[in-house]
Amino acid sequence: SIESSHKQHVAVMAFPFGTHAIPLFNLVRKLAIAIPNTHFSFFNTANSNKSIFLASNSSNIPSNIKAYNIGDGVPMNHVFTNHPVEGVELLVKATPENFYKGLEAAITEIGLKISSLITDAFLSFAVVISKEMNVPWIPVWVSVPYTFSIHVYIDLIHQFYENHEDSDSGDKTLELIPGLSKIHIKDLPDGILPISRTNLEESPFECMLSKLGRMLPQSATVDMNFYQELYPIPLLDDLKSKFPNLLNVGYLTLSMPPPPPPLLSDLDVTGCLSWLDRQKAMSVAYISFGTVATLPPNETLELAEAVEASGVPFLWSLKDKWKDYLPNGFLERTSMQGKVVPWAPQTQVLAHSSTGVFVTHFGSNSVNESIANGVPMIGRPFFGDHPVNGRIVEEIQGVGLRVEGDVLTKSRVIKSLELVLVHEQGKEMRKKVQSLKEIVLKAAGPNGSAAKDFKTLVEKLSML
Ligand code: UDP
């Protein structure tokens, strides 16, 4: 069989929500090309596998990757409420049994035992599996290194929080943690602050996240969806001292350098790029809040009224089902000013010279893509790592602003658009984000740190 020529068998476990599985899959694809005699079994839910494999042209998928569908934990005939993490809770409840089942199937089919375990870092139980199999655990951190550090320092954060619980603790900053002095308590992602036992029982997801900080130090290597050159010194030095095998393999949702324009035409089914071609340089506001967050109806209305009143050309990625929340007649009135599409080729949109600002939810991949293309941001964070990302963008990198109160109103949006697109402060932001773009391009180049760290990862996987 083809498998008999394979020397190693790497098991990969995805976290199938939001834009988590895509960067992991992109890393595995690169690894599979680099180590053709290693087999990669990719464990993920059927839905997530389907969307990944549909999106990647199947001829682009190396034959030494095989996807396995694992149970998503959704009971038969289950009716979902509107709660965004309901599916996550059901999946986490079904772990690790669903992953074990997949592993058994793959080991039997491929005829090779597992040599290492690469997982989304959220799947903290993977450390137990790796110990049972006596193989290294290699977590991949999709978010920014700042949130990684937050998990690593969870005990210290608890102590700090308990000491400051009395007054306005949310506004306190994490000064005692290297590199996190600008992060506020209220920015912290789910699963960090102490929560009551009943909550932990109700939320297997939070329970899993709350264990991360203790599990991560037991990993063999950690892979970041990030560039070493983008860290502030104290954060990098501190993490490297705790994780000597910290690798930064670069932004995983982007091909760097960007592919040349002729390849893009088939991606432009909604005509976004040809519409952008007709706009003035750096004039357009691109609006998207990622794949999970939903802007509440009243904020959708306020945002629409703001862009219309401002006259700023806009490209809005908005699912059809939310179009009802737009003001009456908005689409007709703004047909010359803007374009609303259910899905945009975001990385190409951000790379386009007409794009002037990105109105975003501060999802990690979106922030990475904006920085890699030198586009300043206006953000409205929702949950998870968005508030931390917003803090970094606004206060550490100075490449965007967070909308006052984290809620969109007509006047706040108009003010923010003006500030970024017209005012001196906006020009300053653009300069800064352009210089970050230069850093990323260099870091992603053939002699950059990402290529070096990727090579190290390949060597680690091949040597086992
Ligand atoms: N995205 C896209 N087109 C859209 C909306 C989103 O291509 O119209 C992509 C975007 O490029 C990014 C991902 O979806 O890679 C969103 O990831 P992020 O981490 O920002 O947010 P999440 O979806 O996890 O909330």
Side-chain angles (χ1 to χ4, degrees), residues 186-427:
K186 63 172 179 242
D187 299 331
L188 293 172
D190 313 315
I192 294 295
L193 290 183
I195 30 181
S196 67
R197 267 203 69 74
T198 35
N199 252 343
L200 281 183
E201 274 154 20
E202 271 165 26
S203 172
F205 180 41
E206 281 210 27
C207 184
M208 181 172 86
L209 292 180
S210 70
K211 290 180 188 151
L212 263 186
R214 263 149 253 148
M215 301 302 178
L216 291 170
Q218 302 175 55
S219 61
T221 300
V222 174
D223 280 325
M224 292 282 175
N225 180 19
F226 209 71
Y227 293 96
Q228 180 165 320
E229 288 82 344
L230 288 178
Y231 283 75
I233 305 278
L235 182 62
L236 181 65
D237 287 353
D238 184 57
L239 283 182
K240 283 248 175 189
S241 73
K242 296 192 166 53
F243 296 85
N245 293 323
L246 182 80
L247 299 177
N248 290 278
V249 292
Y251 292 160
L252 291 166
T253 59
L254 286 159
S255 22
M256 302 291 293
L263 293 174
L264 301 177
S265 51
D266 30 323
L267 289 169
D268 195 21
V269 280
T270 47
C272 291
L273 303 176
S274 48
W275 181 84
L276 283 169
D277 285 343
R278 298 195 295 275
Q279 309 304 318
K280 290 204 191 99
M282 292 187 293
S283 67
V284 172
Y286 167 61
I287 307 167
S288 162
F289 303 102
T291 62
V292 190
T294 303
L295 194 65
N298 60 320
E299 289 185 64
T300 308
L301 192 82
E302 300 267 335
L303 174 57
E305 286 178 351
V307 286
E308 186 175 357
S310 70
V312 169
F314 65 91
L315 176 62
W316 191 340
S317 169
L318 181 71
K319 291 194 188 111
D320 285 336
K321 60 179 171 185
W322 309 122
K323 273 191 183 168
D324 290 346
Y325 299 131
L326 293 171
N328 277 337
F330 172 81
L331 292 172
E332 296 73 34
R333 286 195 307 275
T334 59
S335 64
M336 299 300 287
Q337 183 195 341
K339 193 171 166 67
V340 178
V341 292
W343 184 255
Q346 180 165 306
T347 52
Q348 280 75 28
V349 168
L350 291 169
H352 199 286
S353 57
S354 297
T355 303
V357 59
F358 181 11
V359 180
T360 172
H361 65 311
F362 289 134
S364 285
N365 293 301
S366 291
V367 172
N368 295 349
E369 291 158 14
S370 210
I371 286 175
N373 289 296
V375 178
M377 286 161 265
I378 294 172
R380 190 282 188 215
F382 289 76
F383 46 71
D385 58 4
H386 312 163
V388 169
N389 289 337
R391 192 70 67 187
I392 299 163
V393 163
E394 186 176 63
E395 290 187 33
I396 301 181
Q397 297 170 326
V399 297
L401 59 89
R402 192 166 156 175
V403 170
E404 202 188 316
D406 294 340
V407 174
L408 301 182
T409 65
K410 182 175 173 182
S411 63
R412 286 176 199 162
V413 175
I414 293 178
K415 210 171 99 193
S416 307
L417 286 171
E418 255 172 35
L419 202 145
V420 176
L421 290 170
V422 185
H423 289 189
E424 207 43 50
Q425 205 180 330
K427 292 195 183 116

Side-chain angles (χ1 to χ4, degrees), residues 9 25-26 90 99 128 168 206 210 245 388:
H9 184 183
F25 180 75
N26 289 348
L90 290 171
F99 282 104
V128 179
D168 291 340
E206 281 210 27
S210 70
N245 293 323
V388 169

